[in-house]
Tab-separated table of all heavy atoms in Angstrom:
chain	number	residue	atom	x	y	z
A	33	THR	N	34.125	-76.491	27.393
A	33	THR	CA	33.834	-75.297	26.590
A	33	THR	C	34.701	-74.117	27.017
A	33	THR	O	35.248	-73.387	26.181
A	33	THR	CB	32.337	-74.929	26.716
A	33	THR	OG1	31.546	-76.043	26.292
A	33	THR	CG2	31.996	-73.715	25.863
A	112	ARG	N	26.222	-62.176	14.985
A	112	ARG	CA	26.821	-63.370	15.576
A	112	ARG	C	27.396	-64.245	14.469
A	112	ARG	O	26.733	-64.501	13.472
A	112	ARG	CB	25.773	-64.175	16.345
A	112	ARG	CG	26.427	-65.435	16.934
A	112	ARG	CD	25.469	-66.541	17.327
A	112	ARG	NE	26.217	-67.793	17.377
A	112	ARG	CZ	25.777	-68.933	17.899
A	112	ARG	NH1	24.574	-69.001	18.410
A	112	ARG	NH2	26.534	-70.008	17.889
A	117	ASP	N	26.694	-74.324	14.126
A	117	ASP	CA	25.794	-74.383	15.277
A	117	ASP	C	24.319	-74.449	14.866
A	117	ASP	O	23.532	-75.181	15.472
A	117	ASP	CB	26.000	-73.176	16.199
A	117	ASP	CG	27.017	-73.449	17.302
A	117	ASP	OD1	27.459	-74.604	17.432
A	117	ASP	OD2	27.365	-72.492	18.041
A	278	ASN	N	16.461	-67.791	19.935
A	278	ASN	CA	17.061	-66.564	19.400
A	278	ASN	C	18.403	-66.899	18.762
A	278	ASN	O	18.836	-68.055	18.788
A	278	ASN	CB	17.199	-65.494	20.492
A	278	ASN	CG	18.034	-65.977	21.665
A	278	ASN	OD1	19.011	-66.694	21.495
A	278	ASN	ND2	17.642	-65.584	22.873
A	280	LEU	N	21.351	-66.115	19.674
A	280	LEU	CA	22.420	-66.468	20.616
A	280	LEU	C	22.324	-67.924	21.054
A	280	LEU	O	23.318	-68.618	21.170
A	280	LEU	CB	22.361	-65.568	21.856
A	280	LEU	CG	22.639	-64.071	21.662
A	280	LEU	CD1	22.664	-63.359	23.007
A	280	LEU	CD2	23.960	-63.847	20.939
A	281	MET	N	21.112	-68.390	21.321
A	281	MET	CA	20.935	-69.695	21.950
A	281	MET	C	20.643	-70.827	20.976
A	281	MET	O	21.067	-71.957	21.198
A	281	MET	CB	19.781	-69.612	22.966
A	281	MET	CG	19.391	-70.947	23.580
A	281	MET	SD	18.037	-70.833	24.756
A	281	MET	CE	16.651	-70.486	23.671
A	282	GLY	N	19.900	-70.557	19.926
A	282	GLY	CA	19.320	-71.649	19.160
A	282	GLY	C	17.849	-71.713	19.520
A	282	GLY	O	17.185	-70.682	19.569
A	304	PRO	N	23.415	-79.809	26.982
A	304	PRO	CA	24.252	-78.794	27.636
A	304	PRO	C	24.721	-77.665	26.710
A	304	PRO	O	25.499	-76.819	27.110
A	304	PRO	CB	25.447	-79.630	28.105
A	304	PRO	CG	25.603	-80.665	27.024
A	304	PRO	CD	24.199	-80.993	26.580
A	305	ARG	N	24.217	-77.652	25.468
A	305	ARG	CA	24.681	-76.621	24.524
A	305	ARG	C	24.169	-75.232	24.893
A	305	ARG	O	24.785	-74.224	24.546
A	305	ARG	CB	24.225	-76.977	23.103
A	305	ARG	CG	24.954	-78.184	22.528
A	305	ARG	CD	24.341	-78.634	21.204
A	305	ARG	NE	24.298	-77.582	20.211
A	305	ARG	CZ	25.328	-77.196	19.471
A	305	ARG	NH1	26.515	-77.778	19.633
A	305	ARG	NH2	25.188	-76.241	18.582
A	306	ALA	N	23.030	-75.181	25.558
A	306	ALA	CA	22.478	-73.908	26.030
A	306	ALA	C	21.703	-74.181	27.312
A	306	ALA	O	21.191	-75.283	27.522
A	306	ALA	CB	21.568	-73.283	24.976
A	307	VAL	N	21.631	-73.170	28.163
A	307	VAL	CA	20.953	-73.298	29.456
A	307	VAL	C	20.125	-72.043	29.685
A	307	VAL	O	20.572	-70.938	29.365
A	307	VAL	CB	21.968	-73.461	30.615
A	307	VAL	CG1	21.259	-73.557	31.962
A	307	VAL	CG2	22.859	-74.679	30.386
A	330	LEU	N	20.301	-66.510	30.099
A	330	LEU	CA	20.687	-67.457	29.052
A	330	LEU	C	22.196	-67.704	29.050
A	330	LEU	O	22.982	-66.780	29.256
A	330	LEU	CB	20.257	-66.876	27.697
A	330	LEU	CG	20.885	-67.435	26.434
A	330	LEU	CD1	20.359	-68.826	26.170
A	330	LEU	CD2	20.602	-66.532	25.247
A	331	TYR	N	22.559	-68.947	28.823
A	331	TYR	CA	23.972	-69.327	28.629
A	331	TYR	C	24.070	-70.089	27.315
A	331	TYR	O	23.228	-70.931	27.017
A	331	TYR	CB	24.449	-70.261	29.746
A	331	TYR	CG	24.310	-69.731	31.150
A	331	TYR	CD1	23.087	-69.783	31.815
A	331	TYR	CD2	25.403	-69.206	31.835
A	331	TYR	CE1	22.956	-69.318	33.109
A	331	TYR	CE2	25.288	-68.742	33.139
A	331	TYR	CZ	24.053	-68.800	33.771
A	331	TYR	OH	23.925	-68.342	35.062
A	332	THR	N	25.110	-69.798	26.516
A	332	THR	CA	25.395	-70.577	25.315
A	332	THR	C	26.779	-71.183	25.465
A	332	THR	O	27.751	-70.458	25.743
A	332	THR	CB	25.335	-69.703	24.047
A	332	THR	OG1	24.029	-69.138	23.934
A	332	THR	CG2	25.627	-70.526	22.804
A	333	LEU	N	26.861	-72.500	25.297
A	333	LEU	CA	28.113	-73.217	25.562
A	333	LEU	C	28.438	-74.156	24.404
A	333	LEU	O	28.296	-75.371	24.515
A	333	LEU	CB	27.981	-74.022	26.870
A	333	LEU	CG	27.607	-73.225	28.127
A	333	LEU	CD1	27.237	-74.162	29.272
A	333	LEU	CD2	28.763	-72.318	28.537
A	334	THR	N	28.854	-73.587	23.281
A	334	THR	CA	29.277	-74.433	22.160
A	334	THR	C	30.722	-74.088	21.829
A	334	THR	O	31.273	-73.095	22.316
A	334	THR	CB	28.402	-74.225	20.905
A	334	THR	OG1	28.763	-72.996	20.271
A	334	THR	CG2	26.918	-74.216	21.257
A	337	PHE	N	30.627	-70.573	20.072
A	337	PHE	CA	30.153	-69.339	20.719
A	337	PHE	C	29.966	-69.573	22.208
A	337	PHE	O	29.417	-70.593	22.617
A	337	PHE	CB	28.822	-68.919	20.079
A	337	PHE	CG	28.535	-67.445	20.185
A	337	PHE	CD1	29.356	-66.516	19.563
A	337	PHE	CD2	27.441	-66.984	20.897
A	337	PHE	CE1	29.092	-65.158	19.650
A	337	PHE	CE2	27.167	-65.630	20.988
A	337	PHE	CZ	27.992	-64.712	20.358
A	338	PHE	N	30.429	-68.603	22.993
A	338	PHE	CA	30.410	-68.716	24.455
A	338	PHE	C	29.688	-67.511	25.049
A	338	PHE	O	30.079	-66.370	24.827
A	338	PHE	CB	31.855	-68.780	24.972
A	338	PHE	CG	31.978	-68.802	26.475
A	338	PHE	CD1	31.434	-69.843	27.224
A	338	PHE	CD2	32.669	-67.791	27.131
A	338	PHE	CE1	31.569	-69.861	28.606
A	338	PHE	CE2	32.806	-67.810	28.517
A	338	PHE	CZ	32.250	-68.848	29.257
A	339	VAL	N	28.597	-67.780	25.765
A	339	VAL	CA	27.842	-66.725	26.444
A	339	VAL	C	27.678	-67.131	27.911
A	339	VAL	O	26.829	-67.960	28.249
A	339	VAL	CB	26.446	-66.513	25.807
A	339	VAL	CG1	25.655	-65.456	26.581
A	339	VAL	CG2	26.576	-66.104	24.350
A	340	PRO	N	28.504	-66.568	28.805
A	340	PRO	CA	28.445	-66.963	30.214
A	340	PRO	C	27.432	-66.136	31.012
A	340	PRO	O	27.787	-65.460	31.985
A	340	PRO	CB	29.875	-66.683	30.685
A	340	PRO	CG	30.297	-65.493	29.875
A	340	PRO	CD	29.608	-65.631	28.536
A	341	GLY	N	26.179	-66.177	30.589
A	341	GLY	CA	25.145	-65.456	31.334
A	341	GLY	C	24.728	-64.168	30.663
A	341	GLY	O	25.372	-63.135	30.813
Side-chain angles (χ1 to χ4, degrees):
T33 302
R112 179 199 159 168
D117 268 353
N278 58 37
L280 295 185
M281 173 180 71
R305 290 172 56 79
V307 179
L330 162 72
Y331 303 81
T332 300
L333 303 169
T334 76
F337 205 64
F338 176 62
V339 177

